[in-house]
Every structure is written in structure tokens, then in C-alpha cells.
Amino acid sequence: MTDDEILLKIEELVNSDAPLDQVLRRAVEMIKQSRDYYDWVGIYLLEGDVLVLHNYIGEPTEHTRIPVGVGVCGTAVATRSNQIIGDVTKLDNYLACSPRTRSEIVVLIRRGDEIFGQIDIDSDRAGAFDARDEAMLSRAADLLARRFK
Ligand code: SME
């Protein structure tokens, strides 16, 4: 599927009467299938000052609750900016999910200043993510943001 086709499917899902829980799970499935180098795909939701893992596909992780400011995920919220990490082994503030992970992207689910959560993706390939991934995932995140108040 092309990016446009995937995004159209996510848009249909967001506009459907499916509950939020199902929308977020289906979105993770579709995003996981969109690139062969997306080895772990999950959505965290922001609850106060903590990111709570909603659902994921990939290896189990112990990082189901991440405080704002901690790790790549918490840094995205603290700095209110998407994160692309080409080589996670060079980071000090990093929470390892799998020892095979080499790169990571975090794209915020937000509307204006309000952050609802994030799409987090790990790849076993170094330098796997670039502006095209961020563009596609930002469009997906903007669609998902419509489901939050
Ligand atoms: N690597 C993330 C933690 C989430 S796991 O990758 C699933 C981080 O540093 O915040």
C-alpha cells in the first residue's frame, strides 16, 4: 500500500463509529505493515505527567509508563517536538526496549499546544527514519488527534 492508501484507511477508521481503543489498535496494525523496517510500533497516551503504553506490536517492553522528560518518548513531550534518533546506542537518555533496536522515531499526537500522546517506532536498522517517515506519521497522528477532546 502507498502512504496515501494507508492514510486514507486511517482516516476512514477515525471517521467511523469504532471506539477510540479500537481506532488506536487498528492504526498501530496499519502503521506496522507500512514499512518492513518498523520492528516495534506502539502508541503511548499522555496521562498527566506520564506516558502510558496503550498498545503495541513487537517485542514486549517493560517501559509501559514513562515520565515526561525520560527517554526518547519523554523527551518528545518535554520538548514538544518529534524525535528522530539515528543511533540509539549514542544516547544517554534512552530506555531500551529490545537490545537489537538501533534507531527510533517518536511523532506526537497533538492539536496545537495540546499533546494527547505519541506514535513510537523502533527499528533494528541504524538510521532507518527520515523526513518521509516523519511526514507520513505526522499525517497519521493528526488524523488520530481528531478523536481526542
Ligand atoms: N526507547 C523509548 C522507550 C520505549 S521502547 O522503545 C518501546 C525511549 O527511550 O523513550
Side-chain angles (χ1 to χ4, degrees):
M1 272 202 281
T2 65
D3 285 359
D4 282 344
E5 286 167 342
I6 289 158
L7 291 161
L8 188 61
K9 286 211 170 293
I10 294 176
E11 185 169 21
E12 285 169 1
L13 181 66
V14 166
N15 291 339
S16 75
D17 54 12
L20 176 64
D21 179 75
Q22 199 179 321
V23 169
L24 298 178
R25 286 175 195 280
R26 289 283 297 125
V28 163
E29 286 170 13
M30 289 187 230
I31 292 167
K32 176 77 172 69
Q33 288 164 13
S34 70
R35 307 273 200 274
D36 62 0
Y37 55 90
Y38 288 3
D39 293 302
W40 190 99
V41 177
I43 289 179
Y44 285 89
L45 298 181
L46 187 60
E47 295 183 10
D49 286 338
V50 180
L51 285 159
V52 179
L53 184 57
H54 176 274
N55 86 100
Y56 67 94
I57 299 172
E59 283 190 31
T61 176
E62 63 195 49
H63 303 298
T64 56
R65 296 177 64 86
I66 302 176
V68 170
V70 176
V72 180
C73 295
T75 298
V77 178
T79 61
R80 316 184 76 78
S81 61
N82 298 335
Q83 305 287 306
I84 294 181
I85 310 297
D87 183 353
V88 297
T89 66
K90 295 211 165 73
L91 277 192
D92 291 331
N93 191 9
Y94 172 67
L95 303 171
C97 172
S98 157
R100 283 191 297 282
T101 298
R102 291 297 307 281
S103 57
E104 179 163 1
I105 187 169
V106 174
V107 172
L108 293 168
I109 301 169
R110 67 194 299 173
R111 187 183 312 114
D113 281 347
E114 199 175 355
I115 295 171
F116 306 113
Q118 60 187 218
I119 300 167
D120 177 28
I121 304 179
D122 289 343
S123 179
D124 295 351
R125 273 191 223 170
F129 305 104
D130 64 18
R132 282 167 299 186
D133 298 277
E134 187 181 5
M136 189 272 282
L137 295 167
S138 296
R139 287 170 66 195
D142 288 349
L143 290 169
L144 295 176
R146 294 187 195 165
R147 274 302 193 98
F148 292 82
K149 294 211 179 74

